[in-house]
Amino acid sequence: MLVYLLIVVNFQSWLDPFIIITALPAAMAGIVLMLFVTHTTLSVPALMGALMCVGVGTANSILVVSFAKDRLLIHGNAVNAALEAGTTRFRPVIMTALAMIIGMVPMALGLGDGGEQNAPLGRAVIGGLFCATVATLVFVPSVFALFHKNSNSSPITELQS
């Protein structure tokens, strides 16, 4: 809720922040699934990993939605804007998520003395970011196109007419 309200202030809109946070339920599902599969209990490090996932997932979704809004102003077609945002921002989103996931693998393995203490953090980040990245690249552009489908007039094309 706090993340949503902060994005509302930043975007000065109620709709676009809602579109942005639609990737977060997938992140939470990924966290729960990864903790369940690895038989890891919910703990403070796992909750810290969840917060990290929320931050990175939100940042990636903001990247996609803000680019889609720019494309919507140019094209005037929400579906084309969403497709272009998903394809153009694919590499930055994947690079951000993979850097975080690969960086957390040694921590998630929990090797070494005391390694099991912070392993839930790494496992939560890996599971959450994997699902949040898929949602950011597939679900968020779809929701954007669905909610902005009535925005078919482009200010740029109206000025040119």
Side-chain angles (χ1 to χ4, degrees):
M1 189 67 177
L2 181 63
V3 172
Y4 176 72
L5 293 175
L6 287 171
I7 301 171
V8 165
V9 171
N10 190 25
F11 273 77
Q12 297 178 355
S13 165
W14 291 96
L15 180 62
D16 291 328
F18 176 76
I19 295 169
I20 290 167
I21 66 166
T22 56
L24 297 185
M28 293 301 139
I31 291 167
V32 170
L33 185 66
M34 182 63 117
L35 292 178
F36 178 75
V37 167
T38 59
H39 302 290
T40 305
T41 59
L42 190 63
S43 60
V44 172
L47 292 175
M48 288 173 47
L51 285 175
M52 292 171 68
C53 280
V54 167
V56 175
T58 301
N60 285 340
S61 292
I62 287 172
L63 187 68
V64 171
V65 170
S66 63
F67 189 81
K69 280 183 65 172
D70 292 343
R71 296 283 102 186
L72 182 62
L73 289 175
I74 293 171
H75 295 307
N77 186 345
V79 174
N80 288 343
L83 284 173
E84 192 172 343
T87 55
T88 304
R89 295 299 174 203
F90 178 81
R91 192 174 76 179
V93 169
I94 289 293
M95 286 173 57
T96 303
L98 275 180
M100 192 82 160
I101 289 170
I102 292 170
M104 288 293 164
V105 167
M107 185 181 290
L109 292 175
L111 303 174
D113 293 334
E116 241 348 273
Q117 183 178 6
N118 288 325
L121 186 144
R123 294 172 187 160
V125 169
I126 290 171
L129 272 183
F130 180 77
C131 292
T133 302
V134 172
T136 297
L137 293 172
V138 176
F139 189 68
V140 170
S142 302
V143 173
F144 179 87
L146 181 70
F147 282 136
H148 286 285
K149 67 182 174 187
N150 295 330
S151 303
N152 288 331
S153 63
S154 171
I156 294 175
T157 55
E158 288 177 6
L159 290 175
Q160 292 173 349
S161 301

